[in-house]
Amino acid sequence: MRSSMLFPRISRHPRRVPHARRTPNGASAAERITGACVPPKESLVEYAAYIGGKKVYALDIVEALRLVRAHNEAIGEDAKAPAFVWVGLHEPKAPEVEWLAEVFGLHPLAVEDAVKAHQRPKVERYGESLFVVLKTLAYIDHEVLSDTSEIIATGEIMVFVGPDFVVTVRHGEHCPLTEVRARLEEKPKLLNRGPTGVLHAIADFVVDKYLTVADCMQEELEEVEAKVFADVSSRDIGRIYHLKREMIEMKRAVTPLQAPLGALPQRRMIPSEMRDYFRDVGDHLSRVCEQVESSNELCNSVLQAALARSNALANEDMRKISSWVAIMAAPTMIAGIYGMNFDFMPELKWVFGYPLALGVMLVVCTLLYRGFRRNGWL
């Protein structure tokens, strides 16, 4: 389906959307007629204008953008600390993102990806803006871990970065950006880096979460490995396979981001003073990818060792069962022979025949037991 059919109201050029007159029932006339673009309300986490490293509140998003652009026009294009608007959304609906697309001039393809979610990590350029998709990871601790327990929760953060705005769209319950926004607001020097500074802070926050989750998964694998090679093995193949599945999920989230994030410092939209910061984030991501790869190989080795250990224990059990069957077969054979109804059998009329048969059974069972015990079967 063509994007123009999905998003007919989206314009690629930013323009201010005037406030429509409200009817008594709370909806504007345009909303009642078209039912298309509406300002974000339920999905809106926070918005603000940042001018001179300080947070400036506005009546709405359009007013915040007007203040920012008026300030940037006044100080000129050569200013090192441009003002910008940061809008944060959590799982928005399509009409809400379409409304933001009209306000900020977002590309329809990027808007479609932000609404649908479940996108591959990537960095794309649309005109004067960047569209960045980051996968988020969160480690979920469980008191009792079952085969269906979710250890790693995944989500997504889409970031629209323009000359004077940042729009973040988050999907998933974990990894909120409140901590990132608070840290930036406490340090005006970081806010003076502009929208690319916000992008760096978000990318650095996401990659740091990767490191935390990778370390927790490493501890889980080491615990399982110790149990596999213990004297008394738990034989819990299901838990190892569960960890293997979670490691694959983590690898799918981390590995595809390495190439686009590594190429991000070469983008013309990234200021020269910010490129070293993005390279540092790329180095951290490379470390995470290496750790995930090594943990995945360790998980494969632990799984193979657990299977081999399980087969060895099964063979040992079979040897024990076979030994006891052989021991019980000797008296069964003797009793079966003397239980046949024939008249002419040796020692059949002898007084000590019965005690002798029992004695032979006991001696044979004892010899078999000592032999199996000496060979390690029992």
Side-chain angles (χ1 to χ4, degrees):
M1 184 178 292
R2 296 178 56 188
S3 302
S4 58
M5 297 177 64
L6 292 173
F7 306 100
R9 293 176 55 90
I10 297 177
S11 174
R12 299 183 60 179
H13 302 285
R15 64 183 180 85
R16 180 180 176 184
V17 179
H19 296 284
R21 177 179 296 179
R22 292 281 173 177
T23 56
N25 60 1
S28 65
E31 292 172 10
R32 288 189 293 103
I33 295 175
T34 63
C37 301
V38 294
K41 183 177 180 182
E42 296 181 357
S43 63
L44 183 62
V45 178
E46 190 175 356
Y47 74 92
Y50 296 92
I51 301 176
K54 297 182 180 180
K55 184 177 183 178
V56 178
Y57 291 96
L59 295 177
D60 52 25
I61 298 175
V62 176
E63 180 65 19
L65 184 60
R66 186 191 65 80
L67 293 175
V68 163
R69 290 181 174 173
H71 178 269
N72 290 338
E73 291 178 1
I75 63 177
E77 297 181 355
D78 298 332
K80 295 184 179 180
F84 63 94
V85 178
W86 184 359
V87 180
L89 304 178
H90 179 239
E91 297 182 353
K93 303 297 182 181
E96 298 175 330
V97 184
E98 291 176 15
W99 185 87
L100 289 175
E102 290 189 346
V103 174
F104 295 103
L106 307 179
H107 196 276
L109 294 178
V111 171
E112 182 179 359
D113 291 342
V115 173
K116 290 186 176 181
H118 303 292
Q119 302 296 320
R120 182 181 177 89
K122 59 183 177 180
V123 177
E124 295 180 347
R125 178 182 177 183
Y126 296 100
E128 296 183 356
S129 63
L130 284 178
F131 177 62
V132 183
V133 178
L134 303 172
K135 286 283 188 179
T136 60
L137 297 177
Y139 179 80
I140 303 177
D141 195 6
H142 299 274
E143 295 182 359
V144 178
L145 186 63
S146 63
D147 293 341
T148 59
S149 300
E150 186 181 21
I151 302 177
I152 297 179
T154 60
E156 294 179 25
I157 296 179
M158 285 84 164
V159 186
F160 297 89
V161 182
D164 52 11
F165 66 86
V166 177
V167 178
T168 56
V169 179
R170 183 170 60 90
H171 292 269
E173 299 297 330
H174 304 279
C175 297
L177 298 177
T178 307
E179 177 183 345
V180 179
R181 188 186 290 265
R183 186 173 72 249
L184 291 176
E185 292 175 355
E186 291 176 358
K187 299 179 180 180
K189 183 179 179 180
L190 298 179
L191 286 175
N192 287 334
R193 295 174 181 172
T196 54
V198 176
L199 176 61
H200 166 263
I202 295 174
D204 186 59
F205 171 75
V206 171
V207 173
D208 286 345
K209 288 291 184 181
Y210 290 168
L211 288 171
T212 303
V213 175
D215 292 339
C216 293
M217 289 299 296
Q218 186 73 22
E219 294 178 0
E220 288 280 350
L221 288 174
E222 291 176 355
E223 180 183 351
V224 171
E225 183 184 17
K227 290 184 177 180
V228 168
F229 293 101
D231 294 337
V232 181
S233 178
S234 62
R235 310 185 194 182
D236 192 1
I237 305 297
R239 183 183 179 188
I240 302 175
Y241 184 77
H242 189 196
L243 291 176
K244 172 66 177 176
R245 186 177 58 203
E246 296 294 324
M247 289 300 304
I248 293 176
E249 186 72 18
M250 184 177 180
K251 187 176 180 180
R252 289 176 180 173
V254 174
T255 304
L257 182 60
Q258 192 171 13
L261 191 59
L264 189 59
Q266 281 72 42
R267 297 276 184 174
R268 289 186 297 175
M269 289 189 60
I270 304 300
S272 57
E273 62 273 10
M274 290 297 302
R275 292 177 180 176
D276 291 338
Y277 293 95
F278 283 102
R279 290 192 187 97
D280 181 68
V281 177
D283 293 339
H284 291 173
L285 181 61
S286 299
R287 174 191 165 191
V288 174
C289 292
E290 293 175 358
Q291 186 172 352
V292 170
E293 188 65 29
S294 63
S295 298
N296 191 34
E297 294 178 359
L298 176 61
C299 190
N300 290 333
S301 301
V302 171
L303 181 59
Q304 294 176 2
L307 292 174
R309 175 78 173 175
S310 179
N311 292 333
L313 293 174
N315 292 334
E316 184 178 351
D317 293 340
M318 288 301 298
R319 287 200 302 266
K320 292 180 179 179
I321 295 173
S322 301
S323 300
W324 286 111
V325 169
I327 292 173
M328 297 303 297
T332 302
M333 180 187 66
I334 297 174
I337 292 175
Y338 278 90
M340 294 186 293
N341 296 322
F342 291 102
D343 293 334
F344 302 99
M345 293 185 66
E347 311 301 339
L348 192 63
K349 303 296 184 179
W350 189 33
V351 178
F352 299 101
Y354 183 69
L356 179 62
L358 293 179
V360 171
M361 293 180 187
L362 181 61
V363 171
V364 172
C365 291
T366 303
L367 292 176
L368 288 175
Y369 177 80
R370 292 186 62 184
F372 289 134
R373 185 79 174 180
R374 187 183 302 111
N375 293 329
W377 284 42
L378 288 176

